[in-house]
């Protein structure tokens, strides 16, 4: 009940609304910059694979979650810092203090934001971003398969030549107005000098189904198999080098094939960076490690240490925002608080990920003390400075009221 009352206090509502608006605005801005940065390379990739506009939008959407985890500590710092300093300079915090609102609700609110950022960071890095990376890889595969099938099925007035997995596919436009499709020519060399040549006139591909399988319907299908070698001098195949047997002629036939038969096979099992936090072999459980007695143990991966470091940085950045707001009430802090705080947040991100990434590999005995030490070294100085400079958080500097 006391927490609910604090959350509904005028000071808390005032700062919460301002902080949320600023945090969302900066998060959208950082996402926009990230999307603009990767747009050209993603567009080139989609065009190279023959994708469409919807494919480009899908890939950009699936790439966007990866920047949220990085941006959260920064936007928390900026949102809280600007919300506090603007309310202070507008004398709104002085009015709240005159109405018996304690200043301690400001760092308390910052810790609420930091806790929410901690949970949100783990949600993105441990679930949303890995799922998006996995979906992105499969989307690229489906786009390549769809483009290849479309090129072969609809060569229009251009002869399409594609070489995939050692097979050469040549699809020609139809010369017969009664035929829906043209000729299809496939050449596949074997490892021992053998080769297979297949040709079909008037053909079509139907699919894919839910299992990514297609059905190809062939008319006037012919197949010739042979082997490189010297041409025989006698028999039905005299003068034909290396022909093993005569060609096979079929008037019409159907065969099923998968996209894996014509393009590089996709591994549908999640990779290490595509596994969620609590999945088997994911960041938390890691790979099984044999003990000296022959039994197996699990140990978190370096990725888990880096995920925890980013999540820890959220409450630390929130506390630093309060300290920076107090420092900005001084003559020097007026110009140094914001850039100095941002530099500390970025340095803390690099340093904490390096420390916890290395510590987690050494086991829990060193990992958890390192994590606790980082939290203490981040929160204690920031909250301690805010406690000593509490008046400067609430009262605007002379000449700025």
């Amino acid at each position: 009940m006391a927490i609910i009352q604090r959350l509904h206090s005028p000071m808390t509502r005032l700062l919460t609304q301002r902080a949320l608006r600023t945090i969302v605005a900066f998060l959208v801005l950082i996402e926009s910059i990230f999307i603009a940065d990767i747009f050209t390379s993603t567009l080139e990739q989609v065009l190279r694979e023959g994708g469409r506009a919807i494919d480009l939008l899908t890939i950009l959407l699936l790439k966007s979650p990866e920047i949220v985890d990085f941006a959260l500590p920064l936007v928390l710092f900026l949102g809280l810092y600007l919300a506090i300093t603007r309310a202070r300079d507008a004398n709104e915090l002085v009015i709240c203090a005159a109405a018996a609102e304690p200043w301690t609700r400001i760092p308390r609110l910052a810790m609420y934001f930091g806790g929410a950022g901690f949970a949100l960071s783990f949600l993105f890095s441990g679930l949303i971003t890995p799922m998006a990376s996995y979906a992105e890889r499969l989307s690229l595969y489906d786009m390549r398969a769809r483009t290849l099938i479309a090129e072969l099925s609809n060569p229009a007035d251009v002869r399409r030549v594609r070489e995939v997995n050692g097979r050469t596919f040549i699809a020609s436009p139809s010369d017969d107005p009664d035929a829906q499709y043209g000729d299809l020519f496939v050449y596949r060399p074997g490892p021992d000098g053998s080769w297979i040549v297949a040709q079909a006139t008037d053909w079509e591909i139907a699919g894919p189904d839910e299992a990514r399988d297609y059905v190809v319907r062939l008319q006037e299908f012919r197949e010739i198999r042979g082997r490189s070698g010297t041409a025989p001098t006698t028999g039905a195949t005299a003068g034909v080098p290396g022909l093993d047997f005569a060609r096979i002629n079929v008037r019409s036939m159907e065969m099923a094939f998968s996209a894996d038969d014509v393009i590089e096979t996709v591994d549908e099992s999640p990779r290490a960076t595509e596994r969620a936090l609590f999945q088997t072999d994911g960041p938390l459980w890691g790979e099984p490690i044999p003990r000296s007695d022959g039994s197996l143990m699990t140990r978190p991966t370096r990725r888990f240490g880096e995920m925890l470091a980013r999540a820890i940085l959220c409450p630390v950045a929130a506390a630093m925002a309060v300290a920076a707001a107090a420092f900005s009430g001084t003559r020097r802090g007026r110009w140094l608080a914001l850039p100095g705080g941002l530099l500390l947040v970025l340095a803390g991100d690099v340093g904490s990920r390096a420390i916890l990434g290395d510590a987690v590999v050494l086991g829990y005995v060193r990992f958890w003390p390192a994590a606790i030490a980082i939290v203490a070294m981040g929160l204690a100085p920031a909250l301690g400075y805010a406690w000593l400079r509490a008046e400067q958080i609430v009262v605007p500097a002379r000449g700025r009221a």
Side-chain angles (χ1 to χ4, degrees), residues 292-306:
S292 57
D293 59 358
S295 61
L296 295 177
M297 61 174 289
T298 56
R299 183 173 62 191
T301 64
R302 182 183 182 88
R303 182 167 156 243
F304 173 73
E306 295 176 348

Side-chain angles (χ1 to χ4, degrees), residues 157-351:
D157 297 330
V158 181
R159 179 171 292 143
R160 303 285 185 176
V161 180
R162 293 290 293 261
E163 186 170 344
V164 184
N165 285 356
R167 298 180 177 91
T168 301
F169 296 83
I170 303 176
S172 303
S174 176
D175 296 328
D176 185 356
D178 296 330
Q180 185 176 2
Y181 297 91
D183 296 337
L184 176 66
F185 176 88
V186 182
Y187 170 74
R188 182 179 66 183
D192 55 352
S194 62
W195 45 266
I196 298 176
V197 172
Q199 185 180 9
T201 303
D202 194 10
W203 61 286
E204 63 176 332
I205 296 178
D209 57 17
E210 294 180 357
R212 297 194 183 95
D213 291 332
Y214 297 81
V215 174
V216 57
R217 301 182 179 96
L218 304 169
Q219 305 293 330
E220 302 295 337
F221 175 75
R222 297 177 293 278
E223 182 180 278
I224 302 175
R225 301 191 180 201
R227 183 185 303 275
S228 301
T230 304
T233 56
T234 59
T237 59
V240 182
L243 188 64
D244 285 345
F245 47 82
R247 67 184 184 182
I248 301 173
N249 294 325
V250 180
R251 188 170 188 83
S252 64
M253 66 177 296
E254 287 188 3
M255 65 175 66
F257 72 96
S258 170
D260 294 340
D261 297 329
V262 292
I263 66 173
E264 183 180 354
T265 303
V266 64
D267 183 8
E268 296 193 11
S269 59
R271 296 173 179 172
T273 57
E274 297 169 349
R275 298 191 185 105
L277 179 63
F278 295 105
Q279 273 186 320
T280 304
D281 298 336
L284 183 59
W285 304 116
E287 300 289 341
I289 301 171
R291 290 191 178 96
S292 57
D293 59 358
S295 61
L296 295 177
M297 61 174 289
T298 56
R299 183 173 62 191
T301 64
R302 182 183 182 88
R303 182 167 156 243
F304 173 73
E306 295 176 348
M307 289 166 56
L308 182 62
R310 277 257 169 88
I312 285 175
L313 192 60
C314 289
V316 171
M320 290 174 61
V322 181
F327 184 51
S328 68
T330 64
R331 182 176 299 177
R332 293 180 179 178
R334 182 175 181 177
W335 309 105
L336 298 178
L338 182 57
L342 288 173
L343 285 175
L344 286 175
V345 172
L346 290 173
D349 177 50
V350 175

Side-chain angles (χ1 to χ4, degrees), residues 50-73:
R52 301 166 296 182
I54 188 64
D55 297 313
L56 175 63
L57 293 176
T58 300
I59 299 302
L60 291 175
L61 180 64
L62 293 174
K63 283 181 177 292
S64 60
E66 66 186 68
I67 198 63
V68 174
D69 186 40
F70 166 77
L72 270 175

Side-chain angles (χ1 to χ4, degrees), residues 111-181:
M111 290 300 95
Y112 292 150
F113 271 93
F118 181 91
L120 198 60
S121 178
F122 260 120
L123 177 65
F124 271 87
S125 62
L127 181 63
I128 296 178
T129 302
M131 291 174 60
S133 298
Y134 177 70
E136 178 192 350
R137 184 163 60 88
L138 294 187
S139 296
L140 288 171
Y141 172 81
D142 290 338
M143 181 176 63
R144 294 189 190 105
R146 187 181 64 246
T147 301
L148 176 61
I149 298 302
E151 283 185 359
L152 296 178
S153 300
N154 303 288
D157 297 330
V158 181
R159 179 171 292 143
R160 303 285 185 176
V161 180
R162 293 290 293 261
E163 186 170 344
V164 184
N165 285 356
R167 298 180 177 91
T168 301
F169 296 83
I170 303 176
S172 303
S174 176
D175 296 328
D176 185 356
D178 296 330
Q180 185 176 2
Y181 297 91

Side-chain angles (χ1 to χ4, degrees), residues 361-382:
V361 179
L362 302 176
Y364 287 116
V365 176
R366 299 184 182 180
F367 173 67
W368 291 118
I372 295 171
I374 289 176
V375 174
M377 291 173 61
L379 293 180

